[in-house]
Amino acid sequence: PALISDPTDSLSVPGNPGEIEVQDGGLFAFFSNYPTYLLFHALFMFTAWAILAPMGIYVAMTQRTKEGSWFKYHRGLMLASGATTLLGFGTLFMQQGVGNVFEFAHTHGTIGVIVVGGTMFNLLLGVFRPHVDEGTEKSGNRILFETIHPWVGRLILAMGVYQIGTGLPLLFNTTRGSIIAYMYWGLMVIMFAQALYRKIKNSNNTPKQRRPVTEHYYSAEDKPVVYRGNHGTAL
């Protein structure tokens, strides 16, 4: 079945080639019928939400056992995803204007604006996250960040994946686009099911550590010295 149920989410309106089939000229001739800004929008968004963002979150889910190297990959992939998302939104916005973006494809455009806003919000959360110094306990703000940041990321990723799946039928005719969309969604399900399995497996294989305790000792000068952790690190 076709994925497009809202008639406002169709490119087959006057001036848009949503019903164009691939003719003898092949795929290049097919794409040549589309406005350049629309093709760039599709390219940037596909790169962001079919490649970069899924890889960034996959790394965060599966590679945390490798010291801090996972974070460098996660940060780089998510920043690249945010940049390409802005580029994809910008190409459509500059051509269509705010009002026309919503009229152009109502549901797809509305969810797309939410995805862009949520992406920028979560990137800013990551950039300005509360840091934790080695040997100190996490602050309340840090604990709050570690709760909000991953869940916002998962929600925005789910919406971004949905957008790619519903955007493909907008670019191609509904039957071809729907087939590609279902294949893409199936790949994402397999990818993150495997990531969840690895995350649970890594969690079960990680030795449980005792909760850090704070002990007070006195130095030779009778001044209190605070030690935190299981091995006594002076602060």
Side-chain angles (χ1 to χ4, degrees), residues 89-104:
F89 179 71
T91 55
L92 196 62
F93 176 84
M94 287 185 294
Q95 178 70 26
Q96 297 287 89
V98 176
N100 289 333
V101 166
F102 288 99
E103 293 174 3
F104 170 71

Side-chain angles (χ1 to χ4, degrees), residues 46-58:
F46 186 86
T47 301
W49 296 102
I51 301 174
L52 296 174
M55 288 179 60
I57 293 182
Y58 183 88

Side-chain angles (χ1 to χ4, degrees), residues 114 122 210 220:
I114 296 174
N122 218 31
R210 291 181 299 162

Side-chain angles (χ1 to χ4, degrees), residues 69 173 197:
S69 61
N173 68 75
Y197 169 78

